Amino acid sequence: MSPVTLAVVGAGNRGSAHGRWALAQPDRARVVAVAEPRAVRRDRFASSHDIPAGASFASWQELAAKGRLADAVMICTQDAAHAEPAVAFAELGYHVLLEKPMATNEADCRRIVEAVERAGVTFAVCHVLRYTPYTALVKRVLDEGRIGEVMSVQHLEPVGYAHHAHSYVRGAWRRQGAAAFMLLAKSCHDLDWLRYVVGRPIRRVASFGGLSHFRPENRPDGAADRCLDCAVEPACPYSAVRFYSRFLDRGVDWEGDHWPLDAVMDRYTEADLRAALRDGPYGRCVYASDNNVVDHQVVAMEFDGGPTGTFVMTAFSAGGHRRTRLFGTRGELEGDGETVRVHDFLTGTAEVLSAGTPGNATAGGGHGGGDWGLMDAFVRAVATGDRSHVLTGPRESLEAHLAVFAAERARREGVVATVAMDVASPQEDTAAGR
Ligand SMILES: NC(=O)c1ccc[n+]([C@@H]2O[C@H](COP(=O)([O-])OP(=O)(O)OC[C@H]3O[C@@H](n4cnc5c(N)ncnc54)[C@H](O)[C@@H]3O)[C@@H](O)[C@H]2O)c1
């Protein structure tokens, strides 16, 4: 079978990560075209993949204007720039791998689903957590009935103090409007994952949370607008100098992931880092940025048929994998992203199972094996025409996104929100050819 051909739209962190999977699997996939406005990124990417000048474009619009150049496209632009290319490339007949979130509003998410269904193409949203060995283990334990019927769930996304400061106070996801709101940007993964493991749609949600800490009034005495000028920087856990220097000191492996440095600068030298911290958004005091997304949020949810759950997202954590407790009628499952502890009510015993999770929870760590699991599934689905390899069909992805929009509405308006119920069940999803 000849390799699946891929076009990459947005050769930033995610586009490069997906591209690296193809480089490691040359017999299964080949990237043959790229669209990226930033010349440094475009040229670096084109050179790693041997993409000729004629297949290297400065925007997705220029790539789309050429008609269909590849079997599939991987859309890795920023959140607010997903819907237009997703619809355009689906209409051209490309199979579509779309970074999450699908789009920043409900209407655009629905427009994407309509477009991919109309075109009859394979479509996958990068809900990478579904594809980790750890999730496969959790699913297996649940499917074997080892804890009976799931009745309650507790799920935590410990974003991590430094990751939060990087992405959601200083970085690209700091402002709703420019990007998605926090729950959509970071935690659409979590609501999707909960829907997947519990095996039921989320029907009703309530939510609380806000931007409590990263605000001007919490700025310590003596703090400057930039970490480089700050007298109290050594005592600040959110120091940009300390955070980025730690990564720079480790050295940059050109074949590897460059998160978080790739967002900060194009060349990884001490001088470039200082220049970026001096002039760019990543050198700003976390109490003097223009961020407006929440730094902690909780969602209480009711699943179809009655099970209930809570989800906590917080900046104020050491980071690491998500942690979950699933409470069933015959037992309890406790998972930390690497191991699963199963307590059996009948025998009174507990068993610890290990998933052999590769990599850590961050983008740099490949999301615990999810990044490569996702690419493997998508390319397999495109190569064989068997869409069941993709674990998130368009309608199930839409359903999870609708739960996120409802939860955010609940938080903002102080109401209990009902998730729209007009989305087909997963069975219908499969039958409709996801
Ligand atoms: N699945 C996950 O776990 C995961 C993790 C991190 C980020 N993401 C999502 O992936 C997406 C990309 O994130 P990222 O960190 O790679 O961002 P990034 O900023 O590193 O990359 C986006 C790239 O798109 C390029 N771009 C802008 N306009 C373009 C156009 N018209 N045509 C082509 N390219 C264009 C930018 O120049 C940039 O290089 C975001 O939506 C983000 O939320 C998903």
Side-chain angles (χ1 to χ4, degrees), residues 32-369:
V32 296
V34 62
E36 166 59 54
R38 287 171 65 173
V40 173
R41 289 184 170 188
R42 184 173 65 245
D43 295 347
R44 199 178 272 163
F45 188 91
S47 133
S48 315
H49 290 268
D50 276 334
I51 296 171
S56 181
F57 303 93
S59 71
W60 69 261
Q61 293 88 341
E62 289 174 38
L63 167 62
K66 295 287 178 193
R68 190 172 171 198
L69 301 186
D71 298 320
V73 64
M74 306 197 284
I75 299 175
C76 306
T77 38
Q78 278 295 348
D79 305 352
H82 286 181
E84 298 306 326
V87 170
F89 285 101
E91 286 175 351
L92 286 169
Y94 280 86
H95 301 293
V96 177
L97 181 80
L98 177 63
E99 262 306 346
K100 60 97 270 226
M102 294 171 73
T104 51
N105 61 66
E106 192 176 318
D108 278 347
C109 292
R110 290 181 183 277
R111 207 153 60 84
I112 292 169
V113 171
E114 282 161 20
V116 297
E117 288 188 344
R118 204 168 41 240
V121 296
T122 297
F123 174 76
V125 175
C126 295
H127 282 307
V128 292
L129 296 182
R130 287 198 181 211
Y131 298 87
T132 63
Y134 166 76
T135 299
L137 174 61
V138 171
K139 271 298 261 183
R140 179 163 62 75
V141 169
L142 295 176
D143 291 348
E144 287 169 358
R146 292 187 59 181
I147 68 163
E149 284 276 305
V150 173
M151 288 294 158
S152 311
V153 189
Q154 244 185 7
H155 182 69
L156 169 70
E157 155 61 324
V159 178
Y161 66 101
H163 184 164
H164 191 93
H166 168 68
S167 295
Y168 305 101
V169 178
R170 298 180 171 115
W173 295 273
R174 69 184 183 271
R175 287 192 70 77
Q176 176 171 1
F181 50 90
M182 184 73 193
L183 197 67
L184 184 61
K186 187 76 174 124
S187 308
C188 66
H189 277 317
D190 297 281
L191 268 56
D192 174 74
W193 189 83
L194 288 170
R195 191 255 171 270
Y196 179 55
V197 298
V198 173
R200 294 167 184 266
I202 297 167
R203 286 300 179 219
R204 293 200 301 162
V205 280
S207 182
F208 304 92
L211 173 58
S212 298
H213 183 68
F214 298 107
R215 309 173 67 93
E217 58 267 35
N218 292 323
R219 183 166 158 151
D221 288 343
D225 285 349
R226 290 194 170 270
C227 293
L228 283 177
D229 305 323
C230 185
V232 297
E233 176 271 323
C236 178
Y238 305 104
S239 160
V241 179
R242 187 181 319 111
F243 179 55
Y244 298 114
S245 297
R246 202 181 294 154
F247 284 89
L248 195 61
D249 291 348
R250 278 185 208 159
V252 171
D253 163 14
W254 281 108
E255 301 308 314
D257 191 280
H258 303 154
W259 186 92
L261 296 178
D262 55 355
V264 180
M265 55 209 191
D266 286 331
R267 288 175 310 166
Y268 305 120
T269 68
E270 185 63 43
D272 285 273
L273 175 59
R274 288 194 83 76
L277 297 186
R278 165 68 51 218
D279 300 321
Y282 292 94
R284 286 198 283 212
C285 172
V286 289
Y287 307 101
S289 187
D290 57 350
N291 54 309
N292 65 8
V293 299
V294 304
D295 50 26
H296 61 105
Q297 186 165 356
V298 57
V299 179
M301 64 198 87
E302 179 185 59
F303 294 86
D304 197 33
T308 50
T310 55
F311 164 65
V312 170
M313 159 268 145
T314 184
F316 310 105
S317 55
H321 292 291
R322 273 101 168 158
R323 282 159 242 162
T324 310
R325 286 178 172 181
L326 291 151
F327 305 95
T329 50
R330 299 185 64 87
E332 181 182 329
L333 183 158
E334 203 179 338
D336 64 5
E338 295 182 355
T339 59
V340 164
R341 176 182 288 268
V342 187
H343 303 257
D344 185 317
F345 297 164
L346 188 63
T347 62
T349 58
E351 185 185 1
V352 177
L353 306 164
S354 175
T357 304
N360 65 35
T362 67
H367 295 114

